[in-house]
Each structure stands twice: as C-alpha cells, then as structure tokens.
Amino acid sequence: MTSRANSLQDTKFTSDSTTTAKNAITWRPSDPDNTNVAQFIASVNARHGLELSSYQALHHWSISEISAFWEEIVNFFNVAGEGLHAPAIEDLTMPYAHWYPHARLNFAENVLRIAEDPSMKERIAIQHVYEDNTIENITWTELKSRVQALAASLQERGVKQHDVVAAVLPNIPEAIIGLLAAASLGAIWSINSPDMSVSATLDRITQLQPKAIIGTSGYTFKGEHIDLSDYMRQVSAALPETDLRIIIHDNNTTTLIDGFESFDALVNTDKRLAPIRLAFDHPLWVLFSSGTTGAPKGIVHSHGGITLEGYKGIGLQQDMGRGDTYYVAANTSWMVWNTLAMTLLVGCSVVTYAGSPRIGGDDRQFEILALSGATMFATGAAYLALVEKSGLIPNEKYDLSKLRRIMSTGSPLAPSTWRWVHDAIKADVHLGSDSGGTDICSGLIGSNPLDPVYIGEIQGACLGVAAEVWDESGNRVYDQLGELVVTAPMPSMPIYFWNDPEGQRMHDAYFDTYPGIWRHGDWVTETSRGTFIVHGRSDATLNRQGVRLGTADIYAAIEEIPEIQQSLVLGIEFSDGQYYMPLFVQLFPEHKLTPELTDKINNQIRRKATPRHVPDEIIHVPEIPVSHTNKRLEVPIKRLYLGMDLKKALNIGSVSNPDALQWFVDHAHEIRNQFTQISS
C-alpha cells in the first residue's frame, strides 16, 4: 500500500451560481488512479478475475461477497495474525455474527509493527501540541518501547486478560500509550475525559469494576492549570475494588497522590511485553453512549473488528497512509478520539492536543493544522460553522498547503458552511460529511477518494456496509425520508453491551424495529445516484400534518443567519392530539430577537426548506444545552415538555452546560399549562 501527499481537485471552488446549486460538485479527485482504493480494486480484480472499475462497483461487490471482501482487506493490508484464512464469516444472521472463528491477532501488534520497518523507526508517530505551541514528538521506536514497557509493568502488577483498565485522561500521548499497553496484554480499555464531572465519570467507570485506573494530576486549559488531584482522589475512593492506581504528572504538579503509582516509573523500566495474540472477538475497549437519556451504555468492540475496520476506514475510505498526519479535535470521551489509535494502523502520524480549542481565537484548530503539517483534519460540523460565523478566513493567516482532507461529523454540515470551507480554508480540499457512530466506532455512510462530492450530500455507503433507507413497512426507498438501516453484519459492530448478559439492551438498541436488521436511528434520504442526506435523529423527527420532517433541514436553513449562535427545534405531540413545534435560538450577545429577525428566520426556513418547516414560535433562550460532544439534546429536552421530571428525562452529568437546563424546565412547565388550558 502506498500513500500520496495530495490528491486534489484541479480548479478553485468559488461561490458562484453554478456552485451554489443543489447538485453542485465541490470536489473531484485529480489523480484517482493513485489512491489506495484504486490499488485495492486492482488487487481484487487480479485475485478474483473481476473487472471492477468504480467505487460503486467495488461497494456492490463488498456487500454481495461479504466474506471475500473482508478476506481481501486482510490480504491487502497484510494484517498481522494467524488463522486469518477464508472464510471471514459463514453465517450473516444478525446480531452476533461470528467473524474469523479460528483467528488470533492483536490490535496493538498491528500498530506497533510499523516500528519494525527500518524506514519508519525514527519517523514521528505522535506529535503533541501544547497551548503555547510547543511540540513534543514521539517516534515510532519510542512509542513501541513505552507501550511494551507499560504493558510489562501492568502485567507484573497483576493486570491480565479481560481485566479492565479505565483511564480518566485528556487528549495526550499517554492516553494512546495506555490504550495500546492494555490491548497488548488482552486487558479491556476504557477512557473518559476529565472535563466531565466526577459523578458523570463514575456513572461509566463503576459499571466496569476496573482492575486499574490511570489518571493525571492536571493539565493546562485556556492558559490556566486545571488541578485534578482532588478529582482523582474522589474517583479512586469510589473504586475500592481497584488494585492498581496510576497517575501521570503534568508539568505543574509533581507530588504523588497517596495510593497512586507514577506512570513515568512504570514506563521507565527495562522490561518489555510484546503484544499477545488473542481471539478475533476478544474485547478491545468499551465505548460509552452519551448517556443523555439514562445510564450510559457500555458498547464493547473487538480486537479483530476494530483492526479490520481501521484498515478499511482509514486506509481506503479516507485514503491515508505513511507520510500523512492526522489531527482530530476531540476529547477522549468521544469515539472520534479512538480513531487516533486506529489511524496509527496505516503508519500515519497523529496529533494530540489537550488545550482549549479556541484559545487565541475561534480558528485555533487551523493554527494547530499549520503547526503540525496535518494532511487530514476531523472535526464536528458545529466547529466549522462557528468559525464561519466568526468571519475569520483561516487560509489568510495559516499555511494549510499540506491539508488535503477534512472529515466533518457529529451532525449534518450546512451547505453554506460547505461553501465556506472551500473559500476560506482550501479550494481543493476533499471535504466530506461522514456519519456513523460510537456503535461501530467508524462510519456507515461517508467519503471515498474516487467519486465527486455534491454539496450537502454524503458521497455514499462505506465499503462493506449494506446501508439502505427503509420506510415504516420495511421497504427500501429512494429520494424520500426514511430510516437508515444496515442489512448485513460488519466486523466492528458491538460484540456485546456491558452488563447485558442476555443481549436484551443490544437488541432493543438496534434490532427491535426490523427483526434481524440494524436500525441506526438516523433519518436519512438515499438519492437515486447513491449519495445520502442526513436529516437528523429519527427519534427527534418532526411531524407536521402527518408529514415527517428532519430537524437538520431547519438547522441547515438558518445556518447562514449570522445573529444565531446555536439553535434547537422540537416537535412535541401532546396526549390530546395538539402539536407544538418551537424553535429556540441562542443569539450572539450583541443581538436581540426583534420582529424583523423573527421574520428573517421564518422566511429563510420557508425558502431553504419548506413552509411546513416553519416553526410555531421562535423563542430566544440564554443558552442551548449540549452534550460533551457538542450535540443538541433534542430528545431529552422534548421529554421535559411532555411532563417528565428533569432527572428522569436526562442524565445531567452528560450535559456540557447543565446550567442551561433550568430555563427549559421552567418554560416546559409554562407551555404544558398553556396547552392544558387550551384543551380544557
């Protein structure tokens, strides 16, 4: 497998009449034959006597010959392991499809073997950027040494296969080292960001009963030292069954917390433990759902599934490899952080950063891209929209010449922001809006390096993903709204949920609507040309006069209105049949919700979406509540208006700005009283 520095569009993107049209193409590959996926197609054709000549043809083959496709992933990337011979899978029945029953491998081995290549030993594996722009580099040789030393220390202290190593760490290199060390010896990794409250952290960690915990004494954020010593003492005190406690000292604190061992001491040992090969379905890590509507669900992924998905998703879909550098703006509680470790699989350098995403200005992330020389940037759509509205032009301040890919995720990307990226960041950057989730730790529908990008649309289903859009009766539909489903298994689907021995919670999460079919929970349109448009979560859809509408269509319509900082729309169906659809807007401080602005918002929605999308009322709010990954809390806030108590409607610990909730509690009470009086 090879990689390139660039694969770019030939012409500059401009916001003229041809590019603002619905079917405007914003990017085309300049050298499609020089991509990993083109080489993969050639390999498949040669080995199977086929004549595949496009991404669509390859995708069709990948879901028609599922076992053969994943066998070719193993072959093309030369996956390290044993017993990885055909067939990859025999029974396609979901859930609990059994992949490679005789295989043994280790995710960490597949990462660390990069250091065995003489040409890679002294190349950078991890760049860590500090808020003051100091950069600390870790080579592949150093990464391998530190991981194997920590693995040996963990094993020496009694950590063994199936034990849980739980971390409470920001996005620092030690987090990746800890993950790989735990994986090396067959322990199960889980990580939580320390920007969550102690109670929110314990909601997750206490479920796991960890054998070991790894924390940090503090970190720097917005130029200030955040002391986590007391935080870690509280976490430790709530885990009396935990045998091993490890602390990472930041530059501002060196005093050891009672009962904790030094991370540096465990890494600075002469002992080494190479990764141990494990069953394909051996648990690798536990990722937690957002937990906004109840206790966070522990989603367990396997070594084999994540290894194969990493090679496929990073190497083929994102076209990354040796010579590339990847930066993602994510805290460690978001599954996108895990893609840092997955990206290492293909020999790509990664960037870690634990500082403020906006220190020095809203365009801080682009400063980091320039400092690190990143070739790929993954971020939330909300961040791109924020910088757009700030009026900043990143390419006027920073050298972004090496940047060739941007993956926008977390929520649909508005067309105006799509155009802004090409105008203000880079004309020929491959901007893709990808959609997947914590459930599979990857994408279901997303980008590929061979097809053109149409503004506002996701390029297509990912390889090996039998993605379709179904109506309520289970019929596949095109060019109309429906449920995103997956009709065949993928290796990175969960092997189980934590504390779900009968599999009931997992069944209810994905398979309760269409038996044997994965329902992802997204409200989506599949176009006739095979692209996708995401309209929001299906459990948050709006219903006007029997017509279901996507919330994302309203957000996209008002994205260009500069006065609006954040918004939230709800569709509330009261028990007496009355329907209420308010739009809440958080404005930038210098603006007020005047009649003129209200008319402007309504007219924009009517023009950009449809008259049905126009809300019953527009309400100015102090702040919109969001999750720790900056997602709107549509469903739990809707529950408040249906009369549910706040603590039952959502897990307050999952909210990034919990002080914003009380306004909605009070307003929901007022609205319920109004509608009760109307109905009586």
Side-chain angles (χ1 to χ4, degrees):
M1 185 188 72
T2 61
S3 178
R4 299 128 327 282
N6 284 290
S7 174
L8 302 174
Q9 178 186 1
D10 295 324
T11 57
K12 188 179 189 308
F13 181 92
T14 56
S15 296
D16 58 24
S17 60
T18 62
T19 57
T20 56
K22 181 178 180 180
N23 294 331
I25 292 176
T26 62
W27 178 87
R28 294 182 188 272
S30 63
D31 190 9
D33 292 337
N34 191 27
T35 59
N36 294 334
V37 72
Q39 295 174 37
F40 182 76
I41 289 174
S43 175
V44 169
N45 284 342
R47 286 168 55 86
H48 292 267
L50 301 174
E51 296 182 354
L52 306 177
S53 59
S54 66
Y55 180 85
Q56 291 88 345
L58 175 62
H59 178 265
H60 179 74
W61 181 78
S62 76
I63 61 173
S64 301
E65 302 293 337
I66 292 174
S67 185
F69 168 73
W70 290 104
E71 292 157 25
E72 287 305 316
I73 293 293
V74 170
N75 171 71
F76 186 75
F77 291 98
N78 191 26
V79 176
E82 57 197 68
L84 288 164
H85 45 71
I89 188 171
E90 293 181 324
D91 185 357
L92 298 179
T93 304
M94 294 189 289
Y96 308 121
H98 198 190
W99 296 86
Y100 283 110
H102 306 296
R104 298 186 70 80
L105 78 170
N106 192 297
F107 174 82
E109 178 187 1
N110 279 275
V111 170
L112 298 179
R113 67 175 177 161
I114 302 294
E116 298 169 7
D117 184 336
S119 68
M120 296 295 291
K121 287 180 180 290
E122 301 310 314
R123 293 177 68 171
I124 296 170
I126 303 175
Q127 296 184 61
H128 183 65
V129 178
Y130 293 89
E131 279 195 339
D132 64 2
N133 289 343
T134 301
I135 296 179
E136 175 188 348
N137 292 325
I138 299 175
T139 67
W140 281 97
T141 296
E142 291 168 336
L143 176 63
K144 179 180 179 181
S145 176
R146 295 182 195 183
V147 168
Q148 293 190 347
L150 180 59
S153 294
L154 291 174
Q155 186 184 65
E156 188 177 58
R157 285 156 178 78
V159 179
K160 58 186 183 300
Q161 292 184 25
H162 294 283
D163 285 339
V164 173
V165 177
V168 184
L169 295 173
N171 185 8
I172 56 178
E174 289 86 349
I176 296 176
I177 292 168
L179 186 164
L180 294 174
S184 292
L185 56 84
I188 305 170
W189 174 261
S190 187
I191 189 167
N192 193 74
S193 175
D195 64 358
M196 286 188 174
S197 67
V198 172
S199 61
T201 292
L202 292 174
D203 282 345
R204 291 155 173 79
I205 291 181
T206 53
Q207 295 183 48
L208 306 177
Q209 298 182 307
K211 176 77 170 183
I213 57 170
I214 304 176
T216 180
S217 58
Y219 63 104
T220 300
F221 193 84
K222 291 184 179 179
E224 298 183 4
H225 177 247
I226 308 299
D227 190 337
L228 293 176
S229 300
D230 188 57
Y231 185 110
M232 289 309 304
R233 290 188 184 97
Q234 293 181 59
V235 170
S236 176
L239 300 170
E241 75 287 351
T242 299
D243 295 332
L244 177 61
R245 295 165 171 79
I246 303 167
I247 198 73
I248 298 166
H249 291 124
D250 72 330
N251 295 331
N252 293 280
T253 54
T254 57
T255 304
L256 197 64
I257 302 174
D258 289 343
F260 281 77
E261 293 193 56
S262 167
F263 183 93
D264 287 344
L266 270 61
V267 170
N268 294 323
T269 175
D270 294 332
K271 296 181 180 180
R272 298 289 184 272
L273 177 67
I276 301 166
R277 289 184 175 175
L278 308 157
F280 188 94
D281 61 357
H282 189 95
L284 169 62
W285 58 45
V286 182
L287 298 180
F288 282 98
S289 65
S290 60
T292 54
T293 57
K297 296 186 293 288
I299 301 170
V300 186
H301 294 117
S302 70
H303 273 255
I306 292 299
T307 298
L308 266 57
E309 184 62 34
Y311 280 124
K312 186 262 305 187
I314 307 298
L316 297 185
Q317 300 292 156
Q318 304 299 340
D319 196 38
M320 301 286 282
R322 300 182 184 191
D324 281 308
T325 300
Y326 173 56
Y327 172 58
V328 55
N331 71 33
T332 53
S333 293
W334 190 15
M335 54 81 34
V336 179
W337 177 84
N338 293 68
T339 64
L340 289 169
M342 295 169 73
T343 300
L344 291 170
L345 283 166
V346 299
C348 182
S349 173
V350 301
V351 181
T352 56
Y353 176 68
S356 166
R358 298 168 65 183
I359 191 170
D362 289 338
D363 56 357
R364 168 60 172 164
Q365 304 296 331
F366 296 98
E367 183 178 19
I368 295 173
L369 292 172
L371 282 169
S372 62
T375 59
M376 178 174 173
F377 177 40
T379 186
Y383 175 72
L384 295 175
L386 171 71
V387 185
E388 175 195 10
K389 289 190 174 184
S390 72
L392 296 168
I393 310 295
N395 62 18
E396 293 181 353
K397 292 176 62 177
Y398 306 114
D399 179 4
L400 302 174
S401 59
K402 293 184 179 180
L403 183 66
R404 64 185 184 91
R405 296 187 58 81
I406 296 177
M407 181 181 74
S408 173
T409 189
S411 59
L413 187 66
S416 68
T417 309
W418 213 300
R419 294 189 292 270
W420 172 84
V421 166
H422 289 285
D423 289 338
I425 298 174
K426 196 175 186 185
D428 56 5
V429 72
H430 182 180
L431 170 63
S433 180
D434 290 31
S435 183
T438 302
D439 322 79
I440 57 163
C441 199
S442 188
L444 294 175
I445 51 180
S447 305
N448 74 74
L450 298 187
D451 290 338
V453 175
Y454 292 87
I455 192 167
E457 298 178 11
I458 294 175
Q459 283 178 275
C462 295
L463 295 173
V465 182
E468 299 180 3
V469 175
W470 285 14
D471 63 17
E472 294 179 353
S473 300
N475 301 309
R476 187 173 189 178
V477 294
Y478 296 90
D479 298 315
Q480 69 182 69
L481 296 176
E483 290 274 4
L484 178 64
V485 302
V486 181
T487 62
M490 300 165 52
S492 67
M493 285 177 173
I495 50 175
Y496 56 86
F497 280 7
W498 199 263
N499 291 333
D500 184 29
E502 303 301 322
Q504 189 62 49
R505 295 179 74 193
M506 183 166 160
H507 174 272
D508 293 347
Y510 310 118
F511 301 103
D512 64 339
T513 303
Y514 308 108
I517 300 296
W518 175 291
R519 183 187 71 90
H520 195 60
D522 280 347
W523 196 232
V524 174
T525 295
E526 181 180 6
T527 72
S528 300
R529 61 168 165 251
T531 61
F532 290 84
I533 302 168
V534 177
H535 302 273
R537 295 292 294 173
S538 58
D539 53 3
T541 52
L542 312 170
N543 191 326
R544 298 301 289 269
Q545 300 164 334
V547 178
R548 296 184 75 184
L549 310 172
T551 58
D553 299 327
I554 293 176
Y555 301 139
I558 62 177
E559 194 68 51
E560 298 179 38
I561 298 177
E563 295 90 343
I564 299 176
Q565 183 173 353
Q566 180 64 284
S567 59
L568 176 74
V569 64
L570 302 178
I572 305 162
E573 300 165 339
F574 290 101
S575 58
D576 60 0
Q578 296 184 87
Y579 192 80
Y580 176 54
M581 195 176 104
L583 172 64
F584 303 99
V585 293
Q586 176 186 343
L587 303 179
F588 285 99
E590 62 270 24
H591 297 291
K592 294 182 179 180
L593 187 62
T594 62
E596 292 77 16
L597 180 55
T598 298
D599 289 342
K600 179 180 178 180
I601 294 170
N602 282 330
N603 290 335
Q604 183 87 333
I605 293 171
R606 185 178 292 106
R607 183 170 63 88
K608 292 278 189 175
T610 72
R612 278 196 176 94
H613 288 80
V614 175
D616 294 327
E617 187 177 10
I618 299 176
I619 304 166
H620 182 207
V621 299
E623 193 173 6
I624 300 291
V626 294
S627 72
H628 287 280
T629 56
N630 206 36
K631 293 183 179 180
R632 299 174 176 91
L633 305 177
E634 294 165 324
V635 173
I637 298 300
K638 178 179 176 178
R639 290 178 173 180
L640 297 177
Y641 286 83
L642 294 175
M644 189 175 290
D645 178 78
L646 175 62
K647 292 184 179 179
K648 293 182 179 179
L650 79 167
N651 182 346
I652 297 175
S654 69
V655 183
S656 176
N657 50 345
D659 291 344
L661 292 171
Q662 189 58 50
W663 186 96
F664 284 89
V665 171
D666 295 339
H667 185 258
H669 179 72
E670 294 176 10
I671 291 297
R672 288 198 309 275
N673 286 339
Q674 289 179 24
F675 274 83
T676 299
Q677 292 170 8
I678 292 172
S679 63
S680 61

